[in-house]
């Protein structure tokens, strides 16, 4: 964190609400003050703020987060204005302006939207404005949702090439077991997500929020594979985090930072289908850094066009890569399992790789 300049801070509903369900204005004021201090030191900050649905509960006289989609959307519509008004007032007292940015999955999945979001956020940061980002819950459907703001925050961190992502929650880090377990111990440093295979990650969120520890680990995996370090800790320790103190759980970033287009392919682009490949092709892609040829493909699933992104799976079904195909699904199926010599003999002149190496990306995991 001491080397970071541009950071994304995500704060969850459980950290932004009082026990009675209303917005915790003191918490918002504290975050605004610390963010203003970060800006004064030359840093840039983007805040991914939950709390719109929670803010709408009171005005709609609801005691808990509703279950049906229409009621959730009504709460979000009522609460989003109240939420950003509180953020605006808090930052105004420190002479900073905020801008509300509401995103849907379409803004991440579609490449032109993805680049437009990046350009918009870059311009806001250039003007010294603090973006306040949330999912557009008023129009999002269950089928087309980020699922939680942890994942959204990870996408945002990737889009703006942040130096670090801070996930603030109601616990002070990741434990070896649920914190209620007396044997649970705080994990202070995660060098690789693979280290967590034996950790009992659980939790489905509070009655106000929608996330849990599983979603935070998934978000951390996405960010660290993109070269972005992740700090997971409780909201009341934000000051220590920004001061570079060792609190919470630090997820170390990968040594390299992929290009924006590669990140989009790996994590954001919708999948149009699946190519199951043999072990030889797995080795060629992962170890030898080769393109995917028709000879290594065992099965084609889905109906996709040339230029779509598809999943590439190993014989055991694990997603090992994603990539942009050069031909459609029917053509891929016709070429499946055939060598270049076979294709030429059948009349294919200069057959191209199904996925060129430059169009391949390798997600950290298939969670």
């Amino acid at each position: 964190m001491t080397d970071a300049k541009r950071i994304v801070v995500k704060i969850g509903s459980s950290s932004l609400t009082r026990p009675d369900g209303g917005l915790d204005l003191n918490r918002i004021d504290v975050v605004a003050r610390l963010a203003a201090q970060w800006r004064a030191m030359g840093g840039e900050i983007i805040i991914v703020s939950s709390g719109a649905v929670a803010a709408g509960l009171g005005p709609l006289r609801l005691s808990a987060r509703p279950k049906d989609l229409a009621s959730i959307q009504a709460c979000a519509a009522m609460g989003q204005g109240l939420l950003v008004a509180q953020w605006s007032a808090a930052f105004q007292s420190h002479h900073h302006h905020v801008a509300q940015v509401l995103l849907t999955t379409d803004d991440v999945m579609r490449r032109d939207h993805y680049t437009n979001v990046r350009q918009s956020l870059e311009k806001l940061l250039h003007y010294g404005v603090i973006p306040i980002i949330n999912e557009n819950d008023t129009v999002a459907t269950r089928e087309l949702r980020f699922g939680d703001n942890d994942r959204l925050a990870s996408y945002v961190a990737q889009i703006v090439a942040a130096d670090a992502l801070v996930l603030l929650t109601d616990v002070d880090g990741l434990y070896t077991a649920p914190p209620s377990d007396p044997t649970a111990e705080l994990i202070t440093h995660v060098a690789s997500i693979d280290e967590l295979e034996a950790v009992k990650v659980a939790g489905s969120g509070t009655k106000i929020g929608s996330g849990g520890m599983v979603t935070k680990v998934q978000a951390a995996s996405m960010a660290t594979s993109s070269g972005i370090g992740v700090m997971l800790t409780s909201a009341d320790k934000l000051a220590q985090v920004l001061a570079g103190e060792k609190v919470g759980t630090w997820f170390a970033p990968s040594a390299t930072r992929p290009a924006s287009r590669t990140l989009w392919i790996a994590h954001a682009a919708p999948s149009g289908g699946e190519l199951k490949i043999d072990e030889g092709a797995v080795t060629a892609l992962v170890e030898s850094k080769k393109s995917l040829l028709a000879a290594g493909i065992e099965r084609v699933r889905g109906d996709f066009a040339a230029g779509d992104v598809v999943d590439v799976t190993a014989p055991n079904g694990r997603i090992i890569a994603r990539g942009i195909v050069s031909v459609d699904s029917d053509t891929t199926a016709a070429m499946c399992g055939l060598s270049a010599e076979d294709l030429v003999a059948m009349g294919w002149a200069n057959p191209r790789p199904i996925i060129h190496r430059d169009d391949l990306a390798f997600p950290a995991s298939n969670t």
Side-chain angles (χ1 to χ4, degrees):
M1 288 298 302
T2 55
D3 296 328
K5 178 183 178 183
R6 176 177 292 182
I7 64 173
V8 174
V9 175
K10 180 266 178 180
I11 183 165
S13 295
S14 60
S15 302
L16 280 177
T17 53
R18 305 187 305 265
D20 63 3
L23 282 178
D24 187 340
L25 303 186
N26 289 331
R27 176 81 70 193
I28 291 176
D29 287 340
V30 168
V31 174
R33 173 175 57 81
L34 294 172
Q37 292 174 359
W38 182 264
R39 290 281 294 113
M41 294 187 295
E44 297 175 326
I45 188 168
I46 294 173
I47 295 176
V48 177
S49 172
S50 301
V53 174
L57 296 179
L60 295 180
R61 298 180 180 179
L62 298 173
S63 58
R65 183 186 177 95
K67 302 295 184 182
D68 65 291
L69 181 60
S71 295
I72 292 174
Q73 291 176 326
C75 287
M78 177 66 71
Q80 188 61 49
L82 300 173
L83 176 65
V84 76
Q86 295 299 336
W87 279 116
S88 181
F91 274 100
Q92 285 285 348
S93 66
H94 299 285
H95 311 290
H96 285 290
H97 293 291
V98 304
Q100 175 179 257
V101 181
L102 299 178
L103 299 177
T104 65
T105 54
D106 214 31
D107 298 318
V108 170
M109 290 182 175
R110 292 180 54 178
R111 180 61 181 166
D112 55 340
H113 285 215
Y114 186 95
T115 56
N116 190 57
V117 169
R118 182 177 69 244
Q119 292 167 358
S120 178
L121 292 175
E122 289 284 358
K123 189 61 69 173
L124 287 171
L125 293 173
H126 171 74
Y127 286 129
V129 175
I130 290 88
I132 306 294
I133 298 179
N134 198 359
E135 181 168 10
N136 194 344
D137 290 312
T138 303
V139 299
T141 65
R142 284 194 175 92
E143 293 78 17
L144 296 173
R145 284 181 55 88
F146 292 103
D148 57 84
N149 274 354
D150 299 308
R151 187 176 294 271
L152 171 59
S154 187
Y155 280 126
V156 170
Q158 292 175 346
I159 289 171
V160 301
D163 299 311
L165 168 63
V166 181
L167 299 176
L168 300 179
T169 183
D170 51 0
V171 295
D172 58 352
L174 177 65
Y175 282 78
T176 54
S180 58
D181 187 330
T183 65
E185 297 181 0
L186 178 66
I187 301 172
T188 59
H189 188 275
V190 178
S192 169
I193 296 297
D194 293 338
E195 295 180 358
L196 302 180
E197 290 184 358
V199 176
K200 300 176 182 177
V201 180
S204 57
T206 65
K207 68 176 183 179
I208 296 295
S210 60
M213 194 56 69
V214 172
T215 66
K216 290 168 178 56
V217 172
Q218 291 173 341
S221 176
M222 288 171 55
T224 55
S225 67
S226 308
I228 302 167
V230 179
M231 174 61 74
L232 170 63
T233 192
S234 59
D236 58 5
K237 293 185 178 179
L238 179 58
Q240 293 98 308
V241 170
L242 298 183
E245 297 180 18
K246 294 183 178 180
V247 295
T249 303
W250 172 252
F251 295 82
S254 62
T256 59
R257 183 180 290 251
S260 172
R261 180 173 177 274
T262 302
L263 292 176
W264 176 77
I265 294 172
H267 300 293
S271 175
E274 176 190 338
L275 303 180
K276 184 179 179 181
I277 63 177
D278 59 31
E279 289 292 354
V282 172
T283 301
L285 264 60
V286 176
E287 299 181 12
S288 302
K289 314 298 182 185
K290 300 292 186 179
S291 299
L292 176 60
L293 305 179
I297 301 174
E298 294 183 333
R299 186 173 64 225
V300 178
R301 287 181 175 174
D303 182 13
F304 51 83
D308 286 350
V309 173
V310 300
D311 296 327
V312 180
T313 61
N316 62 4
R318 182 174 60 90
I319 298 175
I320 62 162
R322 306 183 83 223
I324 300 175
V325 291
S326 61
V327 293
D328 61 33
S329 52
D330 291 339
T331 306
T332 303
M335 300 171 69
C336 182
L338 298 176
S339 68
E341 292 78 10
D342 293 334
L343 293 171
V344 170
M346 294 173 62
W348 296 83
N350 300 318
R352 295 175 292 171
I354 301 301
I355 303 178
H356 191 274
R357 182 69 195 180
D358 294 342
D359 295 326
L360 276 168
F362 298 85
S365 66
N366 63 336
T367 53

